[in-house]
């Protein structure tokens, strides 16, 4: 699984390492858009946005199609499922730990309160 | 309300875990640096595994070592930075040379603590392998142990 996914993971995570590109994905999740729309929305030049879309396209996260003179972008078929799963396993581990840490923190807070009260008495 | 744990892969070599805790930084920091507290949460109870030992010499250059029960696997390394209540940096040496460096920061705001755990790997490959590897292995091992405990009927009384 790791070997099979590695190249795509590289492309996908590299594509996601940029805030604008993450924004573009969010935007396309709501509705398809032309590169001009996206450039406007992100206050960018057409050329700049084309580059970003190119990176997303290479990672398989976005597909584009030319309709007349307008290039429309939409989310690609590859929907980050594997990347999400990769991160989710790690998140679960830490989430479980941190839930336990919550309990320890609560207990320490309670003790601190009791100790504080004792000192004042 | 439960606080949300987020995990982000910030770059090819970096992984960042973020979480807010309902308590002041001095308390959260204590839970990360006092072994008797650390061992209470670092291996979640639901995972049904335990630590045989947990030694932490929390000072610059000091070592830590966690040993698991029953297989004796160990995590160990050295503290590189210790700033009470705000910052901890340590190495992870169990994988040999080039293990990741972990930085944990504690930022208090209105009695709450924002915790950011940052892992910097020596290479993209190390993160690809170790990142999932560690999570997979731990989650999987614990799940297997859970199953084993169930078949042994040892789950009675466990929530």
């Amino acid at each position: 699984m790791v070997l099979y996914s590695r190249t795509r993971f590289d492309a996908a995570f590299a594509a996601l390492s940029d805030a604008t590109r993450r924004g573009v994905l969010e935007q396309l999740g709501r509705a398809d858009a032309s590169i001009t729309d996206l450039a406007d929305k992100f206050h960018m030049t057409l050329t700049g946005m084309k580059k970003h879309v190119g990176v997303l396209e290479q990672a398989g996260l976005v597909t584009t199609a030319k309709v007349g003179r307008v290039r429309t972008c939409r989310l690609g078929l590859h929907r980050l499922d594997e990347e999400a799963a990769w991160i989710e396993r790690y998140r679960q581990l830490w989430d479980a730990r941190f839930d336990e840490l919550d309990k320890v923190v609560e207990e320490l807070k309670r003790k601190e309160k009791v100790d504080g009260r004792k000192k004042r008495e | 309300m439960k606080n949300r744990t987020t995990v982000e892969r910030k770059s090819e070599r970096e992984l960042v875990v973020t979480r807010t805790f309902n308590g002041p930084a001095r308390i959260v920091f204590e839970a990360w640096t006092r072994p008797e507290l650390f061992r209470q949460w670092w291996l979640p109870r639901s995972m049904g595994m335990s630590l045989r030992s947990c030694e932490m010499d929390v000072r610059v250059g000091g070592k830590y070592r966690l040993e698991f029960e029953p297989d004796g696997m160990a995590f160990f390394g050295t503290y590189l930075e210790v700033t009470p209540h705000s910052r901890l940096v340590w190495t992870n040496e169990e994988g040999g040379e080039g293990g990741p460096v972990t930085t944990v920061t504690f930022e208090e705001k209105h009695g709450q603590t924002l915790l950011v755990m940052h892992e910097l790997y020596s290479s993209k490959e190390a993160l690809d392998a170790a990142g999932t590897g560690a999570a997979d292995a731990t989650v999987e091992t614990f799940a297997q142990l859970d199953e084993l405990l169930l078949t042994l009927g040892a789950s009675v009384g466990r929530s």
Side-chain angles (χ1 to χ4, degrees):
Chain A
M1 204 295 256
V2 174
L3 279 178
Y4 165 74
S5 310
R6 184 159 286 169
T7 333
R8 240 191 30 205
F9 267 26
D10 289 354
F13 280 120
L16 291 172
S17 68
D18 180 273
T20 303
R21 291 198 288 267
R22 290 195 295 270
V24 168
L25 285 181
E26 276 172 34
Q27 191 64 34
L28 293 179
R30 287 191 283 272
D32 296 355
S34 71
I35 292 195
T36 318
D37 295 341
L38 292 172
D40 283 350
K41 199 132 235 160
F42 291 87
H43 309 291
M44 239 180 208
T45 61
L46 215 53
T47 324
M49 186 46 79
K50 266 184 193 155
K51 274 186 194 158
H52 282 310
V53 169
V55 174
L56 288 166
E57 214 177 347
Q58 272 193 333
L61 301 173
V62 164
T63 57
T64 69
K66 207 161 182 188
V67 183
R69 293 179 57 197
V70 182
R71 190 166 280 279
T72 308
C73 311
R74 61 170 57 107
L75 288 184
L77 283 176
H78 165 43
R79 301 234 176 199
L80 285 178
D81 291 342
E82 280 179 45
E83 288 76 7
W86 189 95
I87 283 177
E88 181 56 21
R89 279 196 296 275
Y90 202 76
R91 196 189 65 78
Q92 275 175 7
L93 173 70
W94 281 100
D95 213 24
R97 279 179 182 158
F98 287 162
D99 286 350
E100 293 296 324
L101 178 51
D102 270 340
K103 289 176 200 159
V104 174
V105 168
E106 275 311 311
E107 178 64 18
L108 289 173
K109 258 165 62 179
R110 202 183 52 80
K111 265 188 198 150
E112 216 173 51
K113 229 179 186 170
V114 172
D115 288 352
R117 214 176 291 143
K118 270 187 198 150
K119 265 177 211 158
R120 281 196 298 277
E121 275 163 12
Chain B
M1 208 180 73
K2 220 181 109 178
N3 290 312
R4 168 115 181 125
T5 305
T6 63
V7 175
E8 273 185 281
R9 185 160 167 161
K10 286 276 179 189
S11 77
E12 289 182 337
R13 295 169 51 212
E14 290 167 287
L15 206 61
V16 177
V17 183
T18 312
R19 171 75 134 81
T20 299
F21 293 90
N22 302 322
R26 63 172 183 282
I27 280 180
V28 184
F29 185 87
E30 220 181 330
W32 279 79
T33 50
R34 275 175 47 194
E36 72 276 19
L37 297 174
F38 187 81
R39 60 185 305 157
Q40 281 180 44
W41 63 267
W42 199 75
L43 280 186
R45 240 167 276 160
S46 60
M47 289 180 168
M49 218 170 155
S50 64
L51 285 175
R52 177 184 297 166
S53 64
C54 175
E55 292 156 34
M56 303 168 99
D57 180 12
V58 189
R59 53 183 166 161
V60 177
K63 307 262 182 199
Y64 70 86
R65 186 177 181 90
L66 309 171
E67 274 180 28
F68 294 83
E69 193 94 335
D71 64 358
M73 185 173 78
F75 284 176
F76 55 92
T78 310
Y79 291 97
L80 300 180
E81 278 182 57
V82 178
T83 310
H85 310 171
S86 72
R87 188 177 162 91
L88 281 171
V89 183
W90 67 78
T91 63
N92 299 266
E93 291 160 28
E94 61 276 0
E97 287 289 299
V101 173
T102 307
T103 302
V104 186
T105 57
F106 309 76
E107 194 186 322
E108 188 174 323
K109 233 177 231 171
H110 313 297
Q112 288 200 319
T113 300
L114 171 69
L115 183 130
V116 180
M117 194 192 76
H118 174 268
E119 286 187 314
L120 178 64
Y121 287 80
S122 57
S123 68
K124 175 173 66 63
E125 289 73 19
L127 173 52
D128 281 341
T132 33
D136 278 354
T138 324
V139 173
E140 223 177 280
T141 322
F142 293 156
Q144 283 167 5
L145 191 72
D146 261 349
E147 273 169 35
L148 180 68
L149 290 175
L150 273 172
T151 58
L152 293 175
S155 62
V156 182
R158 278 176 65 223
S159 55

